[in-house]
Amino acid sequence: MSKNVADFFACDVFNDEVMKARLPKPVYKAMTKTRKMGTPLDPTYADVVANAIKDWAIEHGATHYTHWFQPMTGSTAEKHDSFISPTENGMVIMNFSGKELVKGEPDASSFPSGGLRQTCSARGYTAWDPTSYCFVKEGSLYIPTVFVSYTGEALDKKTPLLRSMDALSQQAVRILRLFGNTTTTKVTSTVGPEQEYFLIDKKMYDQREDLIMTGRTLFGAMPPKGQELEDQYFANLKPRIAAFMSDLDETLWKVGVFATTKHNEVAPAQHEMAPVFTTTNISTDQNELAMEIMEKVALKHDLVCLLHEKPFDGVNGSGKHNNWSIGTNDGQNLLDPGSTPMENMQFLTFLCAVIKGIDEYADLLRISAASAGNDHRLGANEAPPAIISIFMGEELQGVLDALEAGTSYKSESKVFEIGVDALPAFPKDSTDRNRTSPFAFTGNRFEFRMVGSSDNIGCPNFQLNTIVAGELCEIADKMENVPADKFDEELKSLLVSIIKEHKRIIFNGNGYSQEWVEEAEKRGLPNYKSTVDCVPHYADAKNVALFEKFGVLSKAEIDARAEIQLENYAKTINIEALTMIDMAKKKYIPTCIAYSKELCDTISAKKALDICTSVETDIAKKITALTKQAYEATSKLEEVTAKASAIETSAEDMAKSYRFDVIPVMDELRAAVDALEVITPSEKWPVPAYSDIIFNV
């Protein structure tokens, strides 16, 4: 294959270039309008588009097609049907109708619905999303779709995202009209998700039941070296990793994913892939596709890609930094402050809308990143704390302070002087980076750092879109009838009131410090430390009102999502607890009993020879005591897990039992087993240790 990426980029994508070449001009124009403006596609064009897609897909090796959707399971779903249609002579022709392109009918009862559907009400529909490109992969045509129930409720993660994008566009255009913009007809949120992940040797993976069953190590003592030397970050790529990344890039590029950055991350065996930003809908689809491809490409290199938020205790976990911005269809980035942000009232309006929204709906952002896996990650090792706050940086903070005080702000020099004559000066960014902030302004976008590495980014982004749409709507409602001669004065007064009322959400310091926890409490900011603390607030009245106002989610859809999230949390912890019990009973406890017996036999033999046995005796006592602790913790874990799984009152009650009754016992069992690992000979330990896994690629 040519190494000129432009020669093969998106070669397996039915993109605009292919449409232009294969569709009749009126159909192509209609498709372009649908993709760019969100206008409905004329149903009479569906057969024409379907036939063109089918012919192109067959040329690219496809024999089947699938409606590719994102149910509430946390992964994508697909059912493959062939293009074949029987003929009278016993042969087949390849056929694909507009109806098959536009609509599918999977079984809705078999996917999580949070009570929206029952087994006796199984019908659900997938519907083609023409704003995201179709592509060919592994012999099938993939058609991005939404997934809804027979009665129209959203059963997926794409539907509310598309609804929120429409809401944001409508309200943002209202704001732009206030500033005299008559050319912009659509505003779109854009995202560039930085995807972190771990790569480990498959042979090591295959020996760890906990990694296979749960995606993370439930046991494991820290090795002598972790990440404390900070020598992994941006280090030279090992040949095996470089080969994987090269293969990954080519595979992603062929299906149109804008992969651009690759490097080693902070923890041993941890890495990152980052794409160029694109519209939120396409970026979400591409990130889901990228995660799937990363796992498959890794296996080709005898590696396993771990997307769990905290696969190894004691080192960095993996996030997915969600770089979110808003742009117009005529080329403006609405979060770009420009060279004089103090005078850029349009930018300040959008900025204040974000500030107000994040303060009022911090719980929704926290919920959007809540999971059993992410609970282990948040709060340290460059993962943000559970307290939502906004980092503004020195310059924007100065602008907001000056606006509030009614004074002026003059930007300092933006040229960075290195102090070496041979090195050129270069422009300095308007903000530093704060790695402890959950929601940081980084020049012309906000970086939501709380999102977990395995998360579907559709969730945080539909929340963000809707939150900001709500605030823009409020501003537009207040300003649209203000006379032109009073507009500037009234707008400035409104923005000042927003800053005064909501500046508590802004924090530019160390988010890991205890001082910030105490200060956040004084400010009245919520601190939801775990999934079970925040998810019940999904259905708070203010949140329901926001989503229903813009038609993004109904009360029933919100309740369903909260229930699914809590059920998933409980099921995840249940699987982890059962895996720990299985490993303790079948691997760790028998191993340690055998080693203890071996030590006792040695002690007896040495006593018979009148040889000192103090060392063996000391080790045997420690092994015996810790094995007893592990055995007792295992028995206790069996008991509390059984009680938690038997709870039938509500998903919330069950989730709380797993959080407060089961997890503490899991921690007890792990502590005992990890202590045993440290004093048991490595050749006797039944599974690969951390030092074997994270330093062996």
Side-chain angles (χ1 to χ4, degrees), residues 77 222 289 314 346 407 415 438 476 496 511 534 667-668:
M222 276 297 293
L289 181 59
Q346 178 178 289
T407 59
V415 176
V496 168
C534 63
D667 293 341
E668 288 178 27

Side-chain angles (χ1 to χ4, degrees), residues 382-433:
E382 291 201 11
I387 304 169
I388 298 287
S389 64
I390 299 176
F391 169 79
M392 279 296 166
E394 184 178 345
E395 181 172 19
L396 275 189
Q397 188 63 59
V399 170
L400 294 175
D401 290 344
L403 186 61
E404 181 184 1
T407 59
S408 60
Y409 176 83
K410 185 176 181 181
S411 177
E412 301 296 327
S413 171
K414 293 185 179 179
V415 176
F416 196 95
E417 299 287 353
I418 299 177
V420 178
D421 291 342
L423 299 178
F426 56 85
K428 185 177 181 180
D429 290 324
S430 60
T431 68
D432 197 352
R433 286 196 172 192

Side-chain angles (χ1 to χ4, degrees), residues 32 35 74 98 431 570 625:
T32 301
R35 286 190 304 102
T431 68

